[in-house]
Amino acid sequence: MDSMTFVLFGATGDLAKRKIYPALYNLFLDRKLPQSFSVIGLGRRALGDEVFQGNVEQSLREFSRRSVFDPSDLSAFISAFRYVPLDVTNPDDYRKLLQVVEKREQELNIPQNRMFYLSVAPEFFDTISLNINESGLGTGSGWKRLIIEKPFGHDLQSAQELNEKLSKAFQEEEIYRIDHYLGKPMVQNLEALVFANPVIGALWNNRHIANVQITASETVGVEERAGYYDQSGAIRDMFQNHMLQVLMMAAMNRPSRLNATEIREQKRSVLASLRDLPKSEVAGSIVRGQYGAGVVGGKEVPAYRDEPGIGASSLNDTFVAARLWIDEPQWEGVPFYIRTGKRIGAKSTRVVVEFKNTARDLYMTRNESTTPNLLVIEIGPNERVSFFLNGKDALNDGQIGTLNVDYSANLSNVPEAYERLIHDALRGDSTFFAHWNEVELAWKWVQPVLEAFQENQVPLQFYPAGSNGPEAADKLLAENGFKWWLDE
Ligand code: BG6
C-alpha cells in the first residue's frame, strides 16, 4: 500500500474519537497501514502534539475493538500523529498546514500522497475542499483523495450544489462518500449471497419472490442531536442514504465483473429504475411517524416533542415506511417495503425476502398450511442468515411446521465498518462508497417526499415508544396482502 499522509479535519470531534482513531489503530495492528505514514489532526482548538497524542491514546483505550495494548505498538502508532490548529475559513492556516505536511513527507521520505478526511459539519465541506485546492495541498506530486461524511446535501438542490463545488477540487474518482452501512459485513455480503450462490440467484426475481422488506429499527431516540435531527428526520438521516443503499445492494442485477465500476453501475441502475413517486401520490405510499412517550427496554422514555431541544409542535419524522417499485422486468409486481424508525421496541436491521407460497394449495388438500419461505438476512446487531422452510414436525404428528436453517456468524472481533471503509479508501477501492450518481438519484426520488412532508400532505402518525411504529405501516403491506415478518 502507498505511503501517505492522513489529514483529518475535525480531529477533536466525537467521530474521530469513537471511530476514526480506533479504526486506524486496528488497521495498524493488522499491518494494513502503509509502512510509513503520518496523521495530521486539525481542529479549532490550540493543542500541542503531545496533548493531542495523549487524547488519541485515550480514545483507543476507550473505543478500540482490541483492548490489549502493547506499549511498543502503541508508541509506534501514536508517534505518527501531529496536530495543527486550523480555522477552516482562513487560507493562511492551510498554507501553514501545507508546510507541516511537506515537512513530515520529507522526514519520512514518502511521496505526496494525501488522504483528506472531512469529519466536520457539512456546511464546511465546500470551503475546505476549495482551500485544499487553492493552498497547494491538493496539487502535490502524488495522489489525493477525499473522504467525506454524510449528510451529502439537505435536498436535491443543495446536494447538486455541493457536488458542483467539490468537483472543482476533486475528481469523482477521488471522492469517497462514506455510508457506514456499506461497511457492514452483511450489507457487503448481499452481493455474495445472491451472485455466489446459483441456488439463490435462480430465485432472485418476480417468479419466486413475493415481496422484499427492509427494516432498520432503533431503540434510541434523538439523543443529543436535536439540532441536526429535527431538521433532517428519518427520511434524510436514514432513508435517503442507508436504506436506499441496502435496497440497491439487494436488488441489483448481476454485474459482469466484481469491480467498483460494475457494481456501482448495477446499483445505479436500480435507482434509475425506481418508479417515480409524484408528490400527489406520496401519501399513498409513504408513512410518516413520530414517537410518543412509552417504554423501551423496560424504561419509560419521553415523547419526541418532549425531548431536550425539540419544539412542542415539531412535525419531524422519526419513522418512515415506504412502498417502492423497481420498473425492471425482473422485479415487475414485486413491492419493496422499507421502514426505519427510532424508539422502536428492538434494534434490528434486516432484509426479509418473502417467497411466493405456491405450495399452499397442495397442502390445503390435507388441511395443512404452509408458510411462505423466507430468506432473512440480519445485518445487525448480529450477522445472520436464515432460511425459513416448511417441513414435517416430528413432535407434532408429522404436521407441516417451520424448519429454520440458520447460519449465525460469530463476528465478535471482525473489523468494524470504519476500519473496512478507511482501508478500502487507502487502497483506492471505491466499491463500498456512494457514487455521486447514486446520491443524486436517491435525492431525486426522495425530493417529492420531502416536499410532501414539508407541505404537510402526509399525515403525521404518532406511535408509542417501544412499539413497531405506526399501524399505518402495517396497512401499507396489508393493502397488498402482506405483513411485516419477524416483528417482536
Ligand atoms: C447514522 C444516523 O447514520 O446511523 C443515526 O445518523 C443512526 O441517527 C445510525 O442512529 C444507525 O446506525 P447503526 O449502525 O447503529 O444501524
Side-chain angles (χ1 to χ4, degrees):
M1 183 183 293
D2 302 338
S3 299
M4 55 91 212
T5 304
F6 194 94
V7 183
L8 177 61
F9 293 81
T12 55
D14 209 45
L15 185 78
K17 257 187 268 174
R18 283 173 188 275
K19 298 288 179 191
I20 303 174
Y21 300 139
L24 287 171
Y25 183 59
N26 285 289
L27 288 172
F28 173 79
L29 293 180
D30 284 343
R31 306 281 172 257
K32 286 181 176 163
L33 288 187
Q35 199 77 27
S36 302
F37 68 94
S38 68
V39 180
I40 316 277
L42 308 166
R44 249 170 311 187
R45 254 177 273 170
L47 292 182
D49 287 342
E50 266 175 43
V51 174
F52 177 54
Q53 291 175 348
N55 293 348
V56 172
E57 179 176 339
Q58 186 54 37
S59 92
L60 303 181
R61 294 198 182 274
E62 224 172 309
F63 299 110
S64 170
R65 171 165 75 79
R66 286 199 190 71
S67 51
V68 181
F69 295 96
D70 176 318
S72 66
D73 278 340
L74 193 60
S75 77
F77 178 71
I78 295 285
S79 66
F81 284 70
R82 296 290 180 279
Y83 184 85
V84 177
L86 176 126
D87 166 358
V88 292
T89 61
N90 182 355
D92 285 341
D93 285 358
Y94 289 82
R95 282 190 276 276
K96 286 182 206 145
L97 169 62
L98 176 61
Q99 286 168 7
V100 177
V101 170
E102 284 177 339
K103 181 164 166 264
R104 289 290 288 151
E105 285 166 348
Q106 283 155 15
E107 278 168 10
L108 296 173
N109 192 21
I110 59 175
Q112 296 179 332
N113 296 326
R114 295 167 190 165
M115 175 67 86
F116 300 97
Y117 195 128
L118 308 196
S119 171
V120 293
E123 59 262 34
F124 299 124
F125 289 170
D126 52 346
T127 315
I128 295 178
S129 71
L130 190 81
N131 278 304
I132 288 174
N133 208 28
E134 293 192 341
S135 61
L137 274 159
T139 48
S141 56
W143 53 249
K144 70 170 188 301
R145 292 181 195 141
L146 181 74
I147 303 185
I148 185 165
E149 284 288 335
K150 65 163 246 211
F152 198 92
H154 190 69
D155 54 16
L156 177 59
Q157 194 189 337
S158 59
Q160 285 169 331
E161 285 166 6
L162 170 60
N163 201 58
E164 182 69 32
K165 288 182 183 147
L166 287 187
S167 63
K168 296 213 164 79
F170 291 86
Q171 309 277 323
E172 174 63 26
E173 306 74 66
E174 295 172 330
I175 303 176
Y176 292 72
R177 295 179 195 80
I178 289 230
D179 183 309
H180 81 280
Y181 267 51
L182 286 176
K184 291 181 186 267
M186 274 301 169
V187 174
Q188 299 195 350
N189 216 351
L190 281 165
E191 162 229 297
L193 282 172
V194 180
F195 302 118
N197 296 296
V199 163
I200 295 181
L203 303 176
W204 219 245
N205 55 56
N206 60 355
R207 262 172 296 133
H208 301 288
I209 292 179
N211 70 81
V212 179
Q213 308 177 4
I214 304 175
T215 297
S217 62
E218 300 186 82
T219 52
V220 294
V222 60
E223 299 177 289
E224 278 83 50
R225 302 157 79 210
Y228 154 75
Y229 193 80
D230 204 46
Q231 299 303 312
S232 303
I235 187 81
R236 293 183 175 88
D237 184 51
M238 293 288 291
F239 187 95
Q240 185 274 343
N241 39 74
H242 307 323
M243 304 308 286
L244 289 181
Q245 283 293 345
V246 176
L247 173 79
M248 285 183 256
M249 290 298 293
M252 69 175 167
N253 274 317
R254 189 175 186 275
S256 54
R257 296 176 76 95
L258 292 174
N259 59 30
T261 313
E262 284 295 320
I263 290 178
R264 298 207 293 186
E265 174 49 26
Q266 291 306 335
K267 286 173 61 195
R268 188 201 62 79
S269 150
V270 172
L271 285 196
S273 311
L274 265 192
R275 188 176 306 163
D276 287 341
L277 187 62
K279 193 161 60 173
S280 58
E281 291 173 24
V282 170
S285 294
I286 305 269
V287 175
R288 173 195 187 203
Q290 189 187 90
Y291 63 82
V295 177
V296 180
K299 229 183 90 202
E300 280 187 28
V301 297
Y304 178 71
R305 289 176 171 184
D306 294 329
E307 297 271 21
I310 304 295
S313 54
S314 169
L315 296 177
N316 191 35
D317 46 298
T318 63
F319 177 99
V320 172
R323 175 174 48 221
L324 304 95
W325 302 93
I326 300 173
D327 284 330
E328 282 196 35
Q330 178 189 2
W331 295 121
E332 208 185 307
V334 181
F336 283 75
Y337 302 103
I338 292 180
R339 64 177 167 170
T340 180
K342 292 207 185 277
R343 287 289 194 228
I344 302 295
K347 166 99 178 152
S348 172
T349 309
R350 60 179 188 260
V351 180
V352 177
V353 180
E354 176 180 337
F355 291 91
K356 293 186 173 168
N357 192 358
T358 47
R360 185 193 285 125
D361 292 351
L362 177 63
Y363 281 83
M364 283 297 270
T365 60
R366 221 168 49 192
N367 277 336
E368 289 182 82
S369 58
T370 54
T371 19
N373 292 151
L374 304 178
L375 176 64
V376 180
I377 299 144
E378 192 179 329
I379 294 164
N382 304 306
E383 284 86 4
R384 184 168 187 167
V385 182
S386 338
F387 225 135
F388 287 64
L389 306 172
N390 293 297
K392 287 185 187 289
D393 183 351
L395 296 174
N396 188 20
D397 295 333
Q399 292 269 312
I400 290 289
T402 302
L403 206 153
N404 190 355
V405 181
D406 194 22
Y407 163 75
S408 193
N410 182 15
L411 299 182
S412 57
N413 207 10
V414 290
E416 284 198 3
Y418 270 88
E419 263 173 86
R420 294 156 168 260
L421 294 174
I422 291 174
H423 185 230
D424 285 353
L426 291 174
R427 291 185 300 144
D429 181 347
S430 55
T431 310
F432 293 115
F433 291 85
H435 191 283
W436 167 241
N437 293 338
E438 299 161 26
V439 176
E440 186 178 36
L441 284 168
W443 277 122
K444 277 193 178 145
W445 196 88
V446 162
Q447 185 64 31
V449 182
L450 299 180
E451 289 168 18
F453 281 13
Q454 180 71 28
E455 293 163 20
N456 232 344
Q457 291 187 17
V458 185
L460 184 64
Q461 316 270 353
F462 292 93
Y463 59 96
S467 68
N468 283 315
E471 279 170 18
D474 300 336
K475 289 204 192 110
L476 200 62
L477 276 71
E479 283 166 12
N480 311 105
F482 301 126
K483 62 167 189 177
W484 294 104
W485 291 99
L486 308 180
D487 276 353
E488 285 184 5

